[in-house]
Amino acid sequence: MDPDALAKAFVEHYYSTFDTNRNNLANLYQEGSMLSFEGQKIQGSHNIVAKLTSLPFQQCQHSITTVDSQPSGVNAAMLVFVSGNLQLAGEQHALKFSQMFHLIPTPQGSYYVLNDIFRLNYA
Amino acid sequence: MDPDALAKAFVEHYYSTFDTNRNGLANLYQEGSMLTFEGQKIQGASSIVAKLTSLPFQQCHHSISTVDCQPSGVNAGMLVFVSGNLQLAGEQHTLKFSQMFHLIPTPQGSYYVLNDIFRLNYA
């Protein structure tokens, strides 16, 4: 698969899973995975999903504006850089965000998230 | 040096060089380096600096809002994720931007940029 198409497919999968069932994101992280969420550093699949499921909103919808990808220089790993809007249920205005993922291939032919950094882009 | 301090030092160096002498950025890239600038993909130090020096403004100032870093798992490489504001000379309003760098250690004890992805965050 073309790397840009693969990055877009991953992004669609990640955010549709986030928006419908955050617990299922556990499959996309491993014990060595790292999330920086608004500057807070969290390590390991269990802790990352605990953080994401404890966010102070029940429903949200990510809409993606841009997806950029590059090979990260090791074993077909990829860097994916996303910008978009996050709409929270009941809120009138969407929040702009940027996020980057470092995706590492798994032996099963899929990818997992080793590095994940998320920031809201405040107006 | 603490990784967060190192990331901040790199970011200060990169943007002060960008704002004062873009040609000086050539030292921070190598032939395998990749820049994605607003979706345009450019490879190699010479082509990257040619792109950055051909931008349609002579003077600019980056002010940095956030710097996040994580180890990339690649040969002591670091992922650095930056958000900030870009002020162009003569423009009243700043432009918000997000940028990510994948920094790889050099044998000389410094770092070079292997991956660089830049996006303006449009309102």
Side-chain angles (χ1 to χ4, degrees), chain A residues 9-117:
Chain A
F10 170 83
V11 162
E12 283 177 15
H13 177 60
Y14 183 90
Y15 291 113
S16 66
T17 305
F18 193 116
D19 295 345
T20 56
N21 183 358
R22 271 172 255 167
N23 280 299
N24 283 350
L25 292 170
N27 299 324
L28 294 175
Y29 296 96
Q30 294 189 2
E31 283 324 294
S33 300
M34 293 158 273
L35 165 66
S36 293
F37 189 89
E38 289 290 294
Q40 183 188 356
K41 296 195 185 202
I42 302 144
Q43 180 152 5
S45 177
H46 177 79
N47 294 332
I48 289 170
V49 172
K51 171 66 187 178
L52 297 177
T53 52
S54 72
L55 294 172
F57 50 83
Q58 302 310 307
Q59 286 187 306
C60 68
Q61 167 77 32
H62 291 82
S63 62
I64 303 308
T65 306
T66 66
V67 178
D68 295 307
S69 70
Q70 290 181 2
S72 76
V74 63
N75 300 332
M78 283 175 58
L79 289 162
V80 181
F81 187 73
V82 180
S83 68
N85 293 280
L86 176 57
Q87 181 75 57
L88 304 182
E91 295 287 333
Q92 184 175 355
H93 300 290
L95 298 166
K96 301 182 83 54
F97 75 93
S98 297
Q99 188 160 11
M100 67 140 284
F101 301 98
H102 187 196
L103 304 181
I104 309 293
T106 66
Q108 296 80 27
S110 185
Y111 281 85
Y112 78 94
V113 179
L114 174 61
N115 300 98
D116 178 348
I117 303 181

Side-chain angles (χ1 to χ4, degrees), chain B residues 18 22 37 50-58:
Chain B
F18 193 115
R22 269 172 256 166
F37 188 89
K51 171 65 187 179
L52 297 177
T53 52
S54 72
L55 293 173
F57 50 83
Q58 303 311 307

Side-chain angles (χ1 to χ4, degrees), chain B:
Chain B
M1 187 186 284
D2 159 66
D4 286 315
L6 193 151
K8 281 195 167 81
F10 170 84
V11 163
E12 284 177 15
H13 177 60
Y14 183 90
Y15 290 113
S16 66
T17 306
F18 193 115
D19 294 345
T20 57
N21 175 14
R22 269 172 256 166
N23 282 300
L25 292 170
N27 299 325
L28 295 175
Y29 296 96
Q30 294 189 2
E31 282 325 292
S33 300
M34 292 158 275
L35 164 66
T36 303
F37 188 89
E38 289 289 295
Q40 183 188 356
K41 296 194 184 202
I42 302 144
Q43 180 153 4
S46 169
S47 303
I48 289 170
V49 171
K51 171 65 187 179
L52 297 177
T53 52
S54 72
L55 293 173
F57 50 83
Q58 303 311 307
Q59 286 188 306
C60 68
H61 183 80
H62 291 82
S63 61
I64 303 308
S65 302
T66 67
V67 178
D68 295 306
C69 77
Q70 290 180 1
S72 75
V74 179
N75 301 330
M78 280 176 57
L79 290 163
V80 180
F81 187 74
V82 180
S83 69
N85 293 279
L86 177 56
Q87 178 80 58
L88 303 182
E91 294 286 334
Q92 183 176 355
H93 300 292
T94 61
L95 298 166
K96 299 182 84 55
F97 75 93
S98 297
Q99 188 159 11
M100 67 139 284
F101 301 99
H102 185 196
L103 305 181
I104 306 292
T106 66
Q108 295 79 28
S110 184
Y111 282 85
Y112 78 94
V113 179
L114 174 60
N115 300 98
D116 178 348
I117 303 181
F118 174 92
R119 279 284 180 184
L120 292 170
N121 304 131
Y122 296 105

